[in-house]
């Protein structure tokens, strides 16, 4: 599959719109961290599938704190946009609803990148989480 990507300026525009709409502190703290996430996701050897790329985008933007504020919201919006431009628009609403609390748990180090990938993979390909995945999520949330 040939993936479509967006650039740093688009990501900043999405972030700025989120801040304007929902509040928070505007501005970029470290553009290099944002550039890095957006460039690394293009490496098909490390991130060969849509779920790998989406996981990397969401996790990196969420955890790297390139923005002054709104990193969790931006990570969710940009991951959803990435899915949309790559032919997964049919599942964007489900993705956003299911991921709203997950992005908070990622930021709080409750859900790691491996579990995040399992969650994203399930959202893309399954109607619902498997019982095994539900249990993993429950255990992760119960520890904290």
């Amino acid at each position: 599959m040939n993936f479509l990507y967006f650039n740093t300026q688009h990501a900043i525009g999405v972030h700025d719109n989120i801040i304007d709409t929902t509040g928070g502190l505007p501005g970029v703290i470290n553009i290099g961290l944002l550039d890095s996430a957006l460039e690394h996701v293009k490496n098909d050897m490390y991130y060969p599938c849509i779920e790998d790329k989406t996981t990397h985008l969401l996790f990196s933007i969420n955890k790297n704190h390139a923005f002054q504020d709104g990193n969790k919201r931006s990570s969710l919006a940009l991951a959803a946009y990435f899915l949309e431009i790559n032919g997964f628009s049919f599942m964007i609403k489900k993705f956003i609803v299911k991921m709203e609390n997950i992005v908070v748990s990622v930021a709080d180090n409750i859900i790691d990148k491996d579990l995040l990938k399992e969650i994203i993979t399930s959202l893309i390909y399954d109607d619902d989480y498997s019982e095994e995945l539900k249990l993993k999520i429950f255990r992760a949330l119960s520890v904290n």
Side-chain angles (χ1 to χ4, degrees):
M1 176 176 183
N2 290 323
F3 294 99
L4 299 175
Y5 301 96
F6 52 87
N7 63 25
T8 302
Q9 288 314 114
H10 178 81
I12 292 170
V14 168
H15 169 265
D16 291 349
N17 185 51
I18 289 169
I19 295 299
D20 289 345
T21 304
T22 62
L25 298 171
V28 177
I29 294 173
N30 187 331
I31 199 162
L33 292 173
L34 182 58
D35 287 337
S36 176
L38 299 179
E39 279 304 309
H40 283 118
V41 76
K42 295 176 185 177
N43 187 329
D44 292 338
M45 289 189 61
Y46 289 114
Y47 311 107
C49 306
I50 189 76
E51 58 269 24
D52 296 312
K53 291 177 182 293
T54 305
T55 299
H56 177 72
L57 274 174
L58 192 145
F59 190 85
S60 296
I61 293 168
N62 184 305
K63 298 297 287 178
N64 288 346
H65 292 275
F67 300 110
Q68 181 77 16
D69 197 7
N71 291 285
K72 292 183 288 291
R73 291 172 282 166
S74 295
S75 71
L76 179 55
L78 292 168
Y81 180 68
F82 180 74
L83 287 169
E84 182 177 16
I85 64 175
N86 283 289
F88 290 83
S89 57
F90 64 91
M91 53 97 45
I92 298 303
K93 183 175 181 177
K94 172 184 160 184
F95 181 81
I96 291 171
V97 167
K98 294 271 191 174
M99 293 300 295
E100 278 183 317
N101 292 326
I102 298 296
V103 296
V104 173
S105 294
V106 168
D108 291 341
N109 298 314
I110 295 168
I111 292 182
D112 65 15
K113 194 172 186 180
D114 291 334
L115 182 53
L116 178 64
K117 181 182 174 192
E118 287 186 59
I119 293 167
I120 289 174
T121 301
S122 180
L123 287 172
I124 292 172
Y125 298 113
D126 303 327
D127 290 332
D128 194 12
Y129 299 141
S130 68
E131 292 304 315
E132 179 183 351
L133 182 54
K134 287 177 185 177
L135 191 55
K136 285 182 181 181
I137 295 167
F138 176 78
R139 285 185 185 137
L141 296 175
S142 296
V143 170
N144 295 297

PDB file of all heavy atoms in Angstrom, residues 67-103:
ATOM      1  N   PHE A  67       4.132  20.239  21.548  1.00  0.00           N
ATOM      2  CA  PHE A  67       3.280  21.415  21.709  1.00  0.00           C
ATOM      3  C   PHE A  67       3.241  21.873  23.164  1.00  0.00           C
ATOM      4  O   PHE A  67       3.399  21.070  24.085  1.00  0.00           O
ATOM      5  CB  PHE A  67       1.847  21.107  21.246  1.00  0.00           C
ATOM      6  CG  PHE A  67       1.753  20.689  19.808  1.00  0.00           C
ATOM      7  CD1 PHE A  67       1.429  19.386  19.466  1.00  0.00           C
ATOM      8  CD2 PHE A  67       1.989  21.595  18.784  1.00  0.00           C
ATOM      9  CE1 PHE A  67       1.327  18.994  18.140  1.00  0.00           C
ATOM     10  CE2 PHE A  67       1.898  21.219  17.463  1.00  0.00           C
ATOM     11  CZ  PHE A  67       1.568  19.913  17.141  1.00  0.00           C
ATOM     12  N   GLN A  68       2.987  23.143  23.350  1.00  0.00           N
ATOM     13  CA  GLN A  68       2.838  23.729  24.685  1.00  0.00           C
ATOM     14  C   GLN A  68       1.706  23.051  25.452  1.00  0.00           C
ATOM     15  O   GLN A  68       1.815  22.790  26.641  1.00  0.00           O
ATOM     16  CB  GLN A  68       2.572  25.235  24.535  1.00  0.00           C
ATOM     17  CG  GLN A  68       2.419  25.993  25.810  1.00  0.00           C
ATOM     18  CD  GLN A  68       3.746  26.269  26.476  1.00  0.00           C
ATOM     19  OE1 GLN A  68       4.805  26.167  25.880  1.00  0.00           O
ATOM     20  NE2 GLN A  68       3.686  26.603  27.748  1.00  0.00           N
ATOM     21  N   ASP A  69       0.611  22.758  24.751  1.00  0.00           N
ATOM     22  CA  ASP A  69      -0.589  22.178  25.351  1.00  0.00           C
ATOM     23  C   ASP A  69      -1.330  21.431  24.247  1.00  0.00           C
ATOM     24  O   ASP A  69      -1.086  21.652  23.067  1.00  0.00           O
ATOM     25  CB  ASP A  69      -1.467  23.297  25.930  1.00  0.00           C
ATOM     26  CG  ASP A  69      -2.513  22.810  26.915  1.00  0.00           C
ATOM     27  OD1 ASP A  69      -2.500  21.623  27.276  1.00  0.00           O
ATOM     28  OD2 ASP A  69      -3.358  23.630  27.326  1.00  0.00           O
ATOM     29  N   GLY A  70      -2.225  20.547  24.611  1.00  0.00           N
ATOM     30  CA  GLY A  70      -3.055  19.873  23.621  1.00  0.00           C
ATOM     31  C   GLY A  70      -2.384  18.706  22.918  1.00  0.00           C
ATOM     32  O   GLY A  70      -2.827  18.297  21.841  1.00  0.00           O
ATOM     33  N   ASN A  71      -1.347  18.153  23.507  1.00  0.00           N
ATOM     34  CA  ASN A  71      -0.647  17.035  22.872  1.00  0.00           C
ATOM     35  C   ASN A  71      -1.525  15.791  22.747  1.00  0.00           C
ATOM     36  O   ASN A  71      -1.507  15.119  21.715  1.00  0.00           O
ATOM     37  CB  ASN A  71       0.639  16.713  23.637  1.00  0.00           C
ATOM     38  CG  ASN A  71       1.666  17.796  23.482  1.00  0.00           C
ATOM     39  OD1 ASN A  71       2.302  17.919  22.445  1.00  0.00           O
ATOM     40  ND2 ASN A  71       1.825  18.623  24.512  1.00  0.00           N
ATOM     41  N   LYS A  72      -2.305  15.492  23.775  1.00  0.00           N
ATOM     42  CA  LYS A  72      -3.188  14.318  23.714  1.00  0.00           C
ATOM     43  C   LYS A  72      -4.265  14.528  22.653  1.00  0.00           C
ATOM     44  O   LYS A  72      -4.499  13.642  21.826  1.00  0.00           O
ATOM     45  CB  LYS A  72      -3.826  14.054  25.080  1.00  0.00           C
ATOM     46  CG  LYS A  72      -2.844  13.610  26.142  1.00  0.00           C
ATOM     47  CD  LYS A  72      -3.511  13.276  27.460  1.00  0.00           C
ATOM     48  CE  LYS A  72      -4.030  14.453  28.230  1.00  0.00           C
ATOM     49  NZ  LYS A  72      -3.026  15.350  28.804  1.00  0.00           N
ATOM     50  N   ARG A  73      -4.889  15.685  22.681  1.00  0.00           N
ATOM     51  CA  ARG A  73      -5.936  15.972  21.693  1.00  0.00           C
ATOM     52  C   ARG A  73      -5.370  15.974  20.280  1.00  0.00           C
ATOM     53  O   ARG A  73      -5.981  15.430  19.353  1.00  0.00           O
ATOM     54  CB  ARG A  73      -6.594  17.325  21.993  1.00  0.00           C
ATOM     55  CG  ARG A  73      -7.433  17.315  23.270  1.00  0.00           C
ATOM     56  CD  ARG A  73      -7.904  18.702  23.655  1.00  0.00           C
ATOM     57  NE  ARG A  73      -6.794  19.421  24.291  1.00  0.00           N
ATOM     58  CZ  ARG A  73      -6.767  20.728  24.511  1.00  0.00           C
ATOM     59  NH1 ARG A  73      -7.781  21.486  24.130  1.00  0.00           N
ATOM     60  NH2 ARG A  73      -5.738  21.284  25.106  1.00  0.00           N
ATOM     61  N   SER A  74      -4.197  16.556  20.114  1.00  0.00           N
ATOM     62  CA  SER A  74      -3.567  16.601  18.789  1.00  0.00           C
ATOM     63  C   SER A  74      -3.169  15.211  18.325  1.00  0.00           C
ATOM     64  O   SER A  74      -3.326  14.876  17.144  1.00  0.00           O
ATOM     65  CB  SER A  74      -2.348  17.517  18.814  1.00  0.00           C
ATOM     66  OG  SER A  74      -2.739  18.846  19.067  1.00  0.00           O
ATOM     67  N   SER A  75      -2.658  14.385  19.226  1.00  0.00           N
ATOM     68  CA  SER A  75      -2.264  13.030  18.830  1.00  0.00           C
ATOM     69  C   SER A  75      -3.462  12.241  18.318  1.00  0.00           C
ATOM     70  O   SER A  75      -3.373  11.530  17.313  1.00  0.00           O
ATOM     71  CB  SER A  75      -1.584  12.297  19.987  1.00  0.00           C
ATOM     72  OG  SER A  75      -2.483  11.959  21.025  1.00  0.00           O
ATOM     73  N   LEU A  76      -4.590  12.400  18.976  1.00  0.00           N
ATOM     74  CA  LEU A  76      -5.810  11.707  18.554  1.00  0.00           C
ATOM     75  C   LEU A  76      -6.308  12.244  17.217  1.00  0.00           C
ATOM     76  O   LEU A  76      -6.621  11.478  16.301  1.00  0.00           O
ATOM     77  CB  LEU A  76      -6.892  11.833  19.631  1.00  0.00           C
ATOM     78  CG  LEU A  76      -8.234  11.178  19.330  1.00  0.00           C
ATOM     79  CD1 LEU A  76      -8.084   9.708  18.985  1.00  0.00           C
ATOM     80  CD2 LEU A  76      -9.172  11.348  20.518  1.00  0.00           C
ATOM     81  N   ALA A  77      -6.376  13.543  17.084  1.00  0.00           N
ATOM     82  CA  ALA A  77      -6.874  14.146  15.843  1.00  0.00           C
ATOM     83  C   ALA A  77      -5.964  13.809  14.661  1.00  0.00           C
ATOM     84  O   ALA A  77      -6.451  13.496  13.565  1.00  0.00           O
ATOM     85  CB  ALA A  77      -6.989  15.662  16.007  1.00  0.00           C
ATOM     86  N   LEU A  78      -4.666  13.859  14.860  1.00  0.00           N
ATOM     87  CA  LEU A  78      -3.736  13.594  13.759  1.00  0.00           C
ATOM     88  C   LEU A  78      -3.700  12.113  13.391  1.00  0.00           C
ATOM     89  O   LEU A  78      -3.587  11.770  12.212  1.00  0.00           O
ATOM     90  CB  LEU A  78      -2.348  14.131  14.100  1.00  0.00           C
ATOM     91  CG  LEU A  78      -2.284  15.663  14.154  1.00  0.00           C
ATOM     92  CD1 LEU A  78      -0.967  16.124  14.769  1.00  0.00           C
ATOM     93  CD2 LEU A  78      -2.496  16.281  12.775  1.00  0.00           C
ATOM     94  N   ALA A  79      -3.826  11.232  14.369  1.00  0.00           N
ATOM     95  CA  ALA A  79      -3.913   9.800  14.065  1.00  0.00           C
ATOM     96  C   ALA A  79      -5.197   9.505  13.291  1.00  0.00           C
ATOM     97  O   ALA A  79      -5.184   8.732  12.317  1.00  0.00           O
ATOM     98  CB  ALA A  79      -3.844   8.973  15.342  1.00  0.00           C
ATOM     99  N   ALA A  80      -6.297  10.120  13.695  1.00  0.00           N
ATOM    100  CA  ALA A  80      -7.564   9.933  12.983  1.00  0.00           C
ATOM    101  C   ALA A  80      -7.469  10.478  11.554  1.00  0.00           C
ATOM    102  O   ALA A  80      -7.940   9.845  10.607  1.00  0.00           O
ATOM    103  CB  ALA A  80      -8.703  10.622  13.743  1.00  0.00           C
ATOM    104  N   TYR A  81      -6.834  11.622  11.393  1.00  0.00           N
ATOM    105  CA  TYR A  81      -6.655  12.187  10.056  1.00  0.00           C
ATOM    106  C   TYR A  81      -5.792  11.276   9.188  1.00  0.00           C
ATOM    107  O   TYR A  81      -6.083  11.064   8.011  1.00  0.00           O
ATOM    108  CB  TYR A  81      -6.041  13.589  10.142  1.00  0.00           C
ATOM    109  CG  TYR A  81      -5.826  14.228   8.798  1.00  0.00           C
ATOM    110  CD1 TYR A  81      -6.911  14.612   8.010  1.00  0.00           C
ATOM    111  CD2 TYR A  81      -4.543  14.431   8.306  1.00  0.00           C
ATOM    112  CE1 TYR A  81      -6.712  15.182   6.766  1.00  0.00           C
ATOM    113  CE2 TYR A  81      -4.335  15.005   7.061  1.00  0.00           C
ATOM    114  CZ  TYR A  81      -5.420  15.377   6.293  1.00  0.00           C
ATOM    115  OH  TYR A  81      -5.226  15.931   5.048  1.00  0.00           O
ATOM    116  N   PHE A  82      -4.739  10.723   9.772  1.00  0.00           N
ATOM    117  CA  PHE A  82      -3.886   9.793   9.032  1.00  0.00           C
ATOM    118  C   PHE A  82      -4.705   8.597   8.538  1.00  0.00           C
ATOM    119  O   PHE A  82      -4.590   8.185   7.379  1.00  0.00           O
ATOM    120  CB  PHE A  82      -2.715   9.331   9.908  1.00  0.00           C
ATOM    121  CG  PHE A  82      -1.803   8.377   9.204  1.00  0.00           C
ATOM    122  CD1 PHE A  82      -0.925   8.832   8.230  1.00  0.00           C
ATOM    123  CD2 PHE A  82      -1.818   7.032   9.508  1.00  0.00           C
ATOM    124  CE1 PHE A  82      -0.092   7.951   7.556  1.00  0.00           C
ATOM    125  CE2 PHE A  82      -0.984   6.146   8.846  1.00  0.00           C
ATOM    126  CZ  PHE A  82      -0.116   6.607   7.866  1.00  0.00           C
ATOM    127  N   LEU A  83      -5.534   8.039   9.402  1.00  0.00           N
ATOM    128  CA  LEU A  83      -6.404   6.946   8.980  1.00  0.00           C
ATOM    129  C   LEU A  83      -7.341   7.389   7.862  1.00  0.00           C
ATOM    130  O   LEU A  83      -7.535   6.670   6.879  1.00  0.00           O
ATOM    131  CB  LEU A  83      -7.211   6.418  10.174  1.00  0.00           C
ATOM    132  CG  LEU A  83      -6.440   5.596  11.204  1.00  0.00           C
ATOM    133  CD1 LEU A  83      -7.295   5.373  12.446  1.00  0.00           C
ATOM    134  CD2 LEU A  83      -5.982   4.265  10.610  1.00  0.00           C
ATOM    135  N   GLU A  84      -7.904   8.566   8.017  1.00  0.00           N
ATOM    136  CA  GLU A  84      -8.853   9.071   7.023  1.00  0.00           C
ATOM    137  C   GLU A  84      -8.214   9.215   5.645  1.00  0.00           C
ATOM    138  O   GLU A  84      -8.767   8.748   4.645  1.00  0.00           O
ATOM    139  CB  GLU A  84      -9.426  10.412   7.475  1.00  0.00           C
ATOM    140  CG  GLU A  84     -10.453  10.965   6.503  1.00  0.00           C
ATOM    141  CD  GLU A  84     -11.079  12.249   6.990  1.00  0.00           C
ATOM    142  OE1 GLU A  84     -10.553  12.894   7.918  1.00  0.00           O
ATOM    143  OE2 GLU A  84     -12.112  12.624   6.410  1.00  0.00           O
ATOM    144  N   ILE A  85      -7.058   9.831   5.565  1.00  0.00           N
ATOM    145  CA  ILE A  85      -6.434  10.057   4.253  1.00  0.00           C
ATOM    146  C   ILE A  85      -5.905   8.761   3.642  1.00  0.00           C
ATOM    147  O   ILE A  85      -5.598   8.731   2.444  1.00  0.00           O
ATOM    148  CB  ILE A  85      -5.322  11.132   4.298  1.00  0.00           C
ATOM    149  CG1 ILE A  85      -4.147  10.703   5.187  1.00  0.00           C
ATOM    150  CG2 ILE A  85      -5.907  12.486   4.715  1.00  0.00           C
ATOM    151  CD1 ILE A  85      -2.956  11.666   5.171  1.00  0.00           C
ATOM    152  N   ASN A  86      -5.850   7.710   4.439  1.00  0.00           N
ATOM    153  CA  ASN A  86      -5.390   6.421   3.926  1.00  0.00           C
ATOM    154  C   ASN A  86      -6.515   5.401   3.764  1.00  0.00           C
ATOM    155  O   ASN A  86      -6.293   4.193   3.777  1.00  0.00           O
ATOM    156  CB  ASN A  86      -4.263   5.882   4.820  1.00  0.00           C
ATOM    157  CG  ASN A  86      -2.972   6.596   4.524  1.00  0.00           C
ATOM    158  OD1 ASN A  86      -2.369   6.397   3.477  1.00  0.00           O
ATOM    159  ND2 ASN A  86      -2.559   7.481   5.421  1.00  0.00           N
ATOM    160  N   GLY A  87      -7.742   5.906   3.615  1.00  0.00           N
ATOM    161  CA  GLY A  87      -8.858   5.055   3.237  1.00  0.00           C
ATOM    162  C   GLY A  87      -9.655   4.434   4.364  1.00  0.00           C
ATOM    163  O   GLY A  87     -10.466   3.544   4.132  1.00  0.00           O
ATOM    164  N   PHE A  88      -9.479   4.910   5.578  1.00  0.00           N
ATOM    165  CA  PHE A  88     -10.186   4.343   6.718  1.00  0.00           C
ATOM    166  C   PHE A  88     -11.214   5.319   7.299  1.00  0.00           C
ATOM    167  O   PHE A  88     -11.510   5.277   8.493  1.00  0.00           O
ATOM    168  CB  PHE A  88      -9.192   3.900   7.800  1.00  0.00           C
ATOM    169  CG  PHE A  88      -8.387   2.696   7.402  1.00  0.00           C
ATOM    170  CD1 PHE A  88      -7.249   2.836   6.624  1.00  0.00           C
ATOM    171  CD2 PHE A  88      -8.788   1.430   7.778  1.00  0.00           C
ATOM    172  CE1 PHE A  88      -6.514   1.729   6.239  1.00  0.00           C
ATOM    173  CE2 PHE A  88      -8.061   0.313   7.403  1.00  0.00           C
ATOM    174  CZ  PHE A  88      -6.914   0.463   6.620  1.00  0.00           C
ATOM    175  N   SER A  89     -11.766   6.166   6.459  1.00  0.00           N
ATOM    176  CA  SER A  89     -12.721   7.165   6.944  1.00  0.00           C
ATOM    177  C   SER A  89     -13.967   6.524   7.553  1.00  0.00           C
ATOM    178  O   SER A  89     -14.601   7.125   8.421  1.00  0.00           O
ATOM    179  CB  SER A  89     -13.106   8.134   5.829  1.00  0.00           C
ATOM    180  OG  SER A  89     -13.638   7.438   4.725  1.00  0.00           O
ATOM    181  N   PHE A  90     -14.285   5.309   7.135  1.00  0.00           N
ATOM    182  CA  PHE A  90     -15.471   4.614   7.650  1.00  0.00           C
ATOM    183  C   PHE A  90     -15.393   4.336   9.150  1.00  0.00           C
ATOM    184  O   PHE A  90     -16.413   4.106   9.786  1.00  0.00           O
ATOM    185  CB  PHE A  90     -15.676   3.292   6.900  1.00  0.00           C
ATOM    186  CG  PHE A  90     -14.559   2.299   7.095  1.00  0.00           C
ATOM    187  CD1 PHE A  90     -14.601   1.375   8.121  1.00  0.00           C
ATOM    188  CD2 PHE A  90     -13.446   2.318   6.255  1.00  0.00           C
ATOM    189  CE1 PHE A  90     -13.563   0.474   8.305  1.00  0.00           C
ATOM    190  CE2 PHE A  90     -12.413   1.417   6.425  1.00  0.00           C
ATOM    191  CZ  PHE A  90     -12.465   0.494   7.451  1.00  0.00           C
ATOM    192  N   MET A  91     -14.206   4.355   9.714  1.00  0.00           N
ATOM    193  CA  MET A  91     -14.085   4.004  11.130  1.00  0.00           C
ATOM    194  C   MET A  91     -13.571   5.143  12.011  1.00  0.00           C
ATOM    195  O   MET A  91     -13.262   4.932  13.168  1.00  0.00           O
ATOM    196  CB  MET A  91     -13.203   2.758  11.293  1.00  0.00           C
ATOM    197  CG  MET A  91     -11.839   2.809  10.631  1.00  0.00           C
ATOM    198  SD  MET A  91     -10.456   3.270  11.681  1.00  0.00           S
ATOM    199  CE  MET A  91     -10.693   2.361  13.125  1.00  0.00           C
ATOM    200  N   ILE A  92     -13.533   6.348  11.493  1.00  0.00           N
ATOM    201  CA  ILE A  92     -12.974   7.480  12.240  1.00  0.00           C
ATOM    202  C   ILE A  92     -13.789   7.795  13.490  1.00  0.00           C
ATOM    203  O   ILE A  92     -13.226   7.996  14.569  1.00  0.00           O
ATOM    204  CB  ILE A  92     -12.852   8.737  11.337  1.00  0.00           C
ATOM    205  CG1 ILE A  92     -11.898   8.458  10.181  1.00  0.00           C
ATOM    206  CG2 ILE A  92     -12.418   9.949  12.144  1.00  0.00           C
ATOM    207  CD1 ILE A  92     -10.512   8.010  10.573  1.00  0.00           C
ATOM    208  N   LYS A  93     -15.097   7.827  13.380  1.00  0.00           N
ATOM    209  CA  LYS A  93     -15.930   8.146  14.548  1.00  0.00           C
ATOM    210  C   LYS A  93     -15.696   7.126  15.662  1.00  0.00           C
ATOM    211  O   LYS A  93     -15.481   7.487  16.819  1.00  0.00           O
ATOM    212  CB  LYS A  93     -17.407   8.203  14.167  1.00  0.00           C
ATOM    213  CG  LYS A  93     -18.304   8.606  15.306  1.00  0.00           C
ATOM    214  CD  LYS A  93     -19.745   8.763  14.888  1.00  0.00           C
ATOM    215  CE  LYS A  93     -20.577   9.191  16.080  1.00  0.00           C
ATOM    216  NZ  LYS A  93     -21.959   9.433  15.723  1.00  0.00           N
ATOM    217  N   LYS A  94     -15.714   5.853  15.315  1.00  0.00           N
ATOM    218  CA  LYS A  94     -15.450   4.782  16.287  1.00  0.00           C
ATOM    219  C   LYS A  94     -14.053   4.947  16.889  1.00  0.00           C
ATOM    220  O   LYS A  94     -13.883   4.838  18.109  1.00  0.00           O
ATOM    221  CB  LYS A  94     -15.575   3.424  15.592  1.00  0.00           C
ATOM    222  CG  LYS A  94     -15.144   2.234  16.413  1.00  0.00           C
ATOM    223  CD  LYS A  94     -15.229   0.966  15.563  1.00  0.00           C
ATOM    224  CE  LYS A  94     -14.387  -0.148  16.137  1.00  0.00           C
ATOM    225  NZ  LYS A  94     -14.384  -1.337  15.278  1.00  0.00           N
ATOM    226  N   PHE A  95     -13.079   5.243  16.056  1.00  0.00           N
ATOM    227  CA  PHE A  95     -11.698   5.408  16.517  1.00  0.00           C
ATOM    228  C   PHE A  95     -11.608   6.534  17.545  1.00  0.00           C
ATOM    229  O   PHE A  95     -11.034   6.353  18.617  1.00  0.00           O
ATOM    230  CB  PHE A  95     -10.786   5.706  15.313  1.00  0.00           C
ATOM    231  CG  PHE A  95      -9.339   5.865  15.666  1.00  0.00           C
ATOM    232  CD1 PHE A  95      -8.529   4.756  15.850  1.00  0.00           C
ATOM    233  CD2 PHE A  95      -8.785   7.122  15.801  1.00  0.00           C
ATOM    234  CE1 PHE A  95      -7.184   4.900  16.174  1.00  0.00           C
ATOM    235  CE2 PHE A  95      -7.443   7.282  16.123  1.00  0.00           C
ATOM    236  CZ  PHE A  95      -6.642   6.163  16.307  1.00  0.00           C
ATOM    237  N   ILE A  96     -12.197   7.669  17.239  1.00  0.00           N
ATOM    238  CA  ILE A  96     -12.116   8.825  18.136  1.00  0.00           C
ATOM    239  C   ILE A  96     -12.819   8.536  19.469  1.00  0.00           C
ATOM    240  O   ILE A  96     -12.272   8.800  20.536  1.00  0.00           O
ATOM    241  CB  ILE A  96     -12.667  10.094  17.457  1.00  0.00           C
ATOM    242  CG1 ILE A  96     -11.709  10.515  16.330  1.00  0.00           C
ATOM    243  CG2 ILE A  96     -12.869  11.221  18.459  1.00  0.00           C
ATOM    244  CD1 ILE A  96     -12.229  11.617  15.437  1.00  0.00           C
ATOM    245  N   VAL A  97     -14.010   7.963  19.400  1.00  0.00           N
ATOM    246  CA  VAL A  97     -14.761   7.670  20.624  1.00  0.00           C
ATOM    247  C   VAL A  97     -14.001   6.682  21.509  1.00  0.00           C
ATOM    248  O   VAL A  97     -13.845   6.896  22.711  1.00  0.00           O
ATOM    249  CB  VAL A  97     -16.177   7.143  20.286  1.00  0.00           C
ATOM    250  CG1 VAL A  97     -16.859   6.541  21.504  1.00  0.00           C
ATOM    251  CG2 VAL A  97     -17.025   8.245  19.684  1.00  0.00           C
ATOM    252  N   LYS A  98     -13.513   5.606  20.917  1.00  0.00           N
ATOM    253  CA  LYS A  98     -12.814   4.571  21.694  1.00  0.00           C
ATOM    254  C   LYS A  98     -11.459   5.054  22.211  1.00  0.00           C
ATOM    255  O   LYS A  98     -11.000   4.612  23.257  1.00  0.00           O
ATOM    256  CB  LYS A  98     -12.604   3.312  20.846  1.00  0.00           C
ATOM    257  CG  LYS A  98     -13.875   2.609  20.469  1.00  0.00           C
ATOM    258  CD  LYS A  98     -14.244   1.607  21.502  1.00  0.00           C
ATOM    259  CE  LYS A  98     -15.358   0.711  21.007  1.00  0.00           C
ATOM    260  NZ  LYS A  98     -15.632  -0.358  21.927  1.00  0.00           N
ATOM    261  N   MET A  99     -10.812   5.960  21.488  1.00  0.00           N
ATOM    262  CA  MET A  99      -9.457   6.377  21.841  1.00  0.00           C
ATOM    263  C   MET A  99      -9.402   7.570  22.789  1.00  0.00           C
ATOM    264  O   MET A  99      -8.340   7.882  23.318  1.00  0.00           O
ATOM    265  CB  MET A  99      -8.662   6.699  20.571  1.00  0.00           C
ATOM    266  CG  MET A  99      -8.377   5.487  19.699  1.00  0.00           C
ATOM    267  SD  MET A  99      -7.418   4.203  20.509  1.00  0.00           S
ATOM    268  CE  MET A  99      -5.882   5.052  20.763  1.00  0.00           C
ATOM    269  N   GLU A 100     -10.522   8.234  23.039  1.00  0.00           N
ATOM    270  CA  GLU A 100     -10.503   9.428  23.897  1.00  0.00           C
ATOM    271  C   GLU A 100      -9.865   9.166  25.259  1.00  0.00           C
ATOM    272  O   GLU A 100      -9.032   9.945  25.720  1.00  0.00           O
ATOM    273  CB  GLU A 100     -11.918   9.984  24.078  1.00  0.00           C
ATOM    274  CG  GLU A 100     -12.365  10.842  22.936  1.00  0.00           C
ATOM    275  CD  GLU A 100     -13.739  11.440  23.166  1.00  0.00           C
ATOM    276  OE1 GLU A 100     -14.634  10.716  23.653  1.00  0.00           O
ATOM    277  OE2 GLU A 100     -13.898  12.629  22.850  1.00  0.00           O
ATOM    278  N   ASN A 101     -10.263   8.102  25.915  1.00  0.00           N
ATOM    279  CA  ASN A 101      -9.691   7.786  27.226  1.00  0.00           C
ATOM    280  C   ASN A 101      -8.339   7.096  27.109  1.00  0.00           C
ATOM    281  O   ASN A 101      -7.497   7.230  27.999  1.00  0.00           O
ATOM    282  CB  ASN A 101     -10.656   6.926  28.042  1.00  0.00           C
ATOM    283  CG  ASN A 101     -11.891   7.698  28.443  1.00  0.00           C
ATOM    284  OD1 ASN A 101     -11.826   8.902  28.701  1.00  0.00           O
ATOM    285  ND2 ASN A 101     -13.017   7.030  28.471  1.00  0.00           N
ATOM    286  N   ILE A 102      -8.141   6.382  26.017  1.00  0.00           N
ATOM    287  CA  ILE A 102      -6.875   5.670  25.812  1.00  0.00           C
ATOM    288  C   ILE A 102      -5.718   6.664  25.716  1.00  0.00           C
ATOM    289  O   ILE A 102      -4.658   6.443  26.300  1.00  0.00           O
ATOM    290  CB  ILE A 102      -6.945   4.774  24.560  1.00  0.00           C
ATOM    291  CG1 ILE A 102      -8.021   3.696  24.698  1.00  0.00           C
ATOM    292  CG2 ILE A 102      -5.580   4.174  24.240  1.00  0.00           C
ATOM    293  CD1 ILE A 102      -7.813   2.683  25.789  1.00  0.00           C
ATOM    294  N   VAL A 103      -5.909   7.790  25.013  1.00  0.00           N
ATOM    295  CA  VAL A 103      -4.803   8.756  24.868  1.00  0.00           C
ATOM    296  C   VAL A 103      -4.395   9.335  26.222  1.00  0.00           C
ATOM    297  O   VAL A 103      -3.219   9.627  26.434  1.00  0.00           O
ATOM    298  CB  VAL A 103      -5.105   9.888  23.855  1.00  0.00           C
ATOM    299  CG1 VAL A 103      -5.268   9.338  22.450  1.00  0.00           C
ATOM    300  CG2 VAL A 103      -6.287  10.731  24.253  1.00  0.00           C
TER     301      VAL A 103
END
